[in-house]
C-alpha cells in the first residue's frame, strides 16, 4: 500500500539538509530502484522552485510499504532525522486515485 510521509523541518534547517542530503537521497534512490517510490521532494519556504537561503519547511514522500509500521520505521531511520533536520514526521496510508 502507498503511504504518505510528511516531514516538517526545524527552523533554519538548510545547513543540516546540505550536510546530509546525499545519504537522504540514497535511501530514496533505493525505493526508486525497487519500484516503490511514487513521488518525493522538499517543500520550499518561499514560492519558488529555487528558494536559495530561504530553504525548506519540510518534505513529502509517497512510497509503497508492507504496513504502516514499516513506513514509520523507514521514516524514523531517515538520515535527516538523525541530523536534526526534521522536528516532526507524520506517516499516513494513502490511496492514489488520479492520474
Amino acid at each position: 500500500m502507498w503511504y504518505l510521509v510528511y516531514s516538517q523541518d526545524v527552523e533554519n534547517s538548510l545547513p543540516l539538509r546540505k550536510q546530509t542530503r546525499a545519504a537522504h537521497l540514497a535511501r530514496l534512490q533505493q525505493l526508486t530502484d525497487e519500484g516503490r517510490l511514487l513521488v518525493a521532494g522538499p517543500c520550499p519556504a518561499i514560492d519558488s522552485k529555487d528558494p536559495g537561503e530561504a530553504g525548506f519547511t519540510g518534505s513529502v514522500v509517497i512510497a509503497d510499504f508492507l504496513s504502516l509500521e514499516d513506513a514509520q520505521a523507514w521514516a524514523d531511520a531517515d538520515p535527516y532525522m538523525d541530523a536534526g533536520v526534521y522536528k516532526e514526521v507524520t506517516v499516513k496510508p494513502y490511496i492514489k486515485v488520479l492520474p
Side-chain angles (χ1 to χ4, degrees):
M1 178 167 190
W2 294 113
Y3 292 90
L4 177 131
V5 179
Y6 175 72
S7 305
Q8 188 173 351
D9 283 21
V10 297
E11 288 193 38
N12 303 312
S13 63
L14 190 58
L16 297 171
R17 276 180 169 267
K18 287 179 178 179
Q19 292 171 4
T20 318
R21 188 169 190 260
H24 172 76
L25 291 178
R27 294 180 82 236
L28 293 170
Q29 186 60 53
Q30 182 179 359
L31 289 177
T32 299
D33 294 346
E34 295 169 358
R36 297 173 44 210
L37 185 64
L38 182 64
V39 67
C43 302
I46 59 175
D47 189 13
S48 173
K49 287 185 179 183
D50 182 7
E53 290 304 309
F56 303 92
T57 60
S59 299
V60 173
V61 173
I62 300 176
D64 183 31
F65 294 95
L66 293 176
S67 67
L68 179 59
E69 292 78 18
D70 287 345
Q72 186 67 59
W74 183 88
D76 291 344
D78 193 303
Y80 279 178
M81 286 293 291
D82 292 338
V85 172
Y86 296 148
K87 69 177 175 181
E88 184 177 2
V89 177
T90 302
V91 181
K92 296 181 178 188
Y94 176 81
I95 297 173
K96 182 179 183 281
V97 175
L98 294 171

